[in-house]
Amino acid sequence: MSSSSISTFSANTGATVLAAALRQLQVEVIFGIVGIPVVEVAEACIAEGIRFIGCRNEQTASYAAGAYGYLTGKPGVCLVVSGPGVVHALSGLYNAQANCWPMILIGGSCESSQVGRGAFQELDQVAACRPYSKYSGRPLTIEAIPSVLDQAYRNSVSGRPGPTYVDFPADLIRGLASNNSSPLSSFKKPNSQAAHDSIQRAAEILLSAKRPLIIVGKGVGLAHAEDELAELVALTGAPFLPSPMAKGMISDLHPLCAGASRSQALQHADVVLVVGARLNWMFQFGRRFNVNAKLLVADIEPEEINRNRAAEVALVGDLKSTLKQLIQMLSLRKKEIINPTPFVNMLADGSKRNAERTRLQIQQSGSPMNHYMAISTIQDRLNASLPSGDYVLVSEGARTMDVTRVLVPSQLPRRRLDAGTLGAMGVGMGYAIAAQLAYPSKRVVAIFGDSAFGFSAMDVETAIRYKLPLIIIVINNGGIYHGLDDLSTLDPSKYPSFALSPNTNYELLSKIAPGSTSGYSVRSPAELNTALEKALRHEASLSIINVHIDHRPASQGLYWMDSSSTSGKL
């Protein structure tokens, strides 16, 4: 929102007042699906110069809005119709809540006078959205629309970011304001710092650490604190372990990245500094840590500090400011920092052993390819064509996402999106569309499992319609986790629950709508390399690459759901 004062709105329809308020809040893109009663809202927004992205499913639209909020730092906005439209969009609201992404969901609703009378698509949407949002409300008058939207915006970005919901009855959307709306005040996001004594105590513990470890969460990305994180790592020499979407806050290729020796790092660290991450299922609730390790937790949210494992020191505040405080305190006593080289060398040896195991997985692939060979080929081509890593990677699926996390490194912050904290399937096309709009000059590469792609595949048409040059790669093994050679010999009533139609021609979706698009069906590393090279060269067009791989079950399970494994990598 602009730091300058915001003028009042002239009396107008509720739809135009709403659109003008969004424009004053510097909203540039809205995702959604129109219908009664929100068509007028979308058209008013377009008239205000806001780009409306009409999706094919409210889930895709809401997933896109959440991802857009994360990538841009400003709330992504989703506009949907009443009743079922809002219910469908709850998926994205819940996903944004779990991932702590700023988002505003706007839902149309029945006329105020018809509430409780069995109105068309009547639903208490404010109550339905409240458990999944930081704020859920509705303006009572047209004049109140700007202030309610402003409240939703402030709640979405302040403190720990998250989604909000605003309900607009049809009579407010179409009605006329009787007088001017109240002016909106300028807004600057509050910035809090950690307590000085906590910073001092954390510095003391870090200075005494022989095996320090920094766990990095995507909260660093939300706070745009990657520069401070890099300075802290350089100052302490401590290895760092990123969560999946924190990959790239510091390059995965950095010598202190412990992603490939995750278990060793957690088991042997004597001090663990958790920065913008939660000790949830992704980190096995803190159970894998050295039981004697001292835990330091830096987070914007006080309630997060002692979840699942008690912290020795709580650093509550904005991460960017908190890291600056800690760096300043450590810099004053730089000579006292213990050299962690033996610990770093141990982790480097572990990374080499894991890399060798991964290399063998790739080498063992025959014909057809397995996941490792297919995704390794993709990584080799991306590295050859985009060596700086300045592209956006979207990854969705079970084993597809799992192997992509291992094989495809990230080198830059906020360039990676996957199923995230919620582990939701169906997010991929919404994420890819949002990423291309957030980074219009970058290539967006979306790697899907075939089952995951099916959740949102129709939104390929959305991407084509808006001329978004996505590169969509479908890793096709004919099923959920795995498939079968041939279903035709079985009675349909006996089909396994996991099996999909083998040899489905997903690449033909590139021709679902008019446009300059390309589709490829590949079965070997050479064909995959050639197809991806062509797709990367065609910078203005969408491409779909259908990668047929071995349908048989993989030899290893999914590390992120294996509670007994000690060799998994995030």
Side-chain angles (χ1 to χ4, degrees), residues 183-256:
L184 297 179
S185 59
S186 60
F187 171 64
K188 185 177 181 180
K189 183 178 176 180
N191 184 13
S192 58
Q193 290 189 324
H196 178 77
D197 59 342
S198 296
I199 291 290
Q200 197 167 33
R201 177 62 180 148
E204 291 285 348
I205 292 173
L206 283 170
L207 289 169
S208 66
K210 295 181 179 179
R211 300 181 303 279
L213 176 68
I214 300 174
I215 289 180
V216 183
K218 63 178 175 292
V220 173
L222 286 162
H224 287 247
E226 58 271 12
D227 290 343
E228 288 75 16
L229 176 68
E231 188 175 352
L232 179 65
V233 168
L235 178 64
T236 61
F240 62 92
L241 175 62
S243 68
M245 270 195 281
K247 289 165 69 68
M249 298 303 157
I250 303 176
S251 173
D252 289 345
L253 305 180
H254 192 287
L256 291 176

Side-chain angles (χ1 to χ4, degrees), residues 362-486:
I362 296 170
Q363 283 187 338
Q364 288 168 6
S365 181
S367 180
M369 297 180 283
N370 64 15
H371 279 88
Y372 278 88
M373 175 56 77
I375 294 171
S376 174
T377 301
I378 293 168
Q379 166 54 20
D380 288 346
R381 173 41 53 194
L382 291 174
N383 187 54
S385 299
L386 300 167
S388 67
D390 196 6
Y391 61 90
V392 184
L393 177 70
V394 177
S395 178
E396 180 186 14
R399 190 151 189 84
T400 296
M401 182 175 64
D402 191 48
V403 177
T404 300
R405 284 175 176 173
V406 174
L407 293 184
V408 184
S410 290
Q411 299 182 56
L412 296 168
R414 291 171 299 279
R415 296 290 197 279
R416 192 179 197 104
L417 294 165
D418 65 21
T421 304
L422 198 58
M425 293 295 101
V427 299
M429 281 303 301
Y431 283 8
I433 289 168
Q436 195 67 80
L437 292 165
Y439 298 109
S441 63
K442 309 298 181 187
R443 299 314 308 264
V444 175
V445 180
I447 306 176
F448 295 84
D450 52 344
S451 173
F453 183 55
F455 281 78
S456 58
M458 192 63 196
D459 274 289
V460 167
E461 186 275 332
T462 303
I464 295 172
R465 185 172 6 119
Y466 291 105
K467 297 179 170 58
L468 305 178
L470 306 178
I471 298 175
I472 297 167
I473 304 172
V474 182
I475 305 297
N476 182 358
N477 66 348
I480 300 172
Y481 306 125
H482 63 92
L484 298 176
D485 269 331
D486 187 5

Side-chain angles (χ1 to χ4, degrees), residues 266 269-270 272 279 285-295 297 304-312:
L266 294 175
D270 60 357
V272 179
L279 299 186
F285 313 106
R287 293 195 300 253
R288 298 278 182 83
F289 291 16
N290 177 355
V291 295
N292 297 315
K294 293 181 178 179
L295 185 65
V297 179
E304 195 62 51
I305 297 299
N306 291 307
R307 180 180 292 187
N308 295 319
R309 178 160 174 162
E312 187 86 12

Side-chain angles (χ1 to χ4, degrees), residues 505-522:
N505 298 315
Y506 294 108
E507 75 281 359
L508 297 182
L509 284 170
S510 65
K511 304 303 179 185
I512 198 171
S516 175
T517 61
S518 301
Y520 308 90
S521 177
V522 303

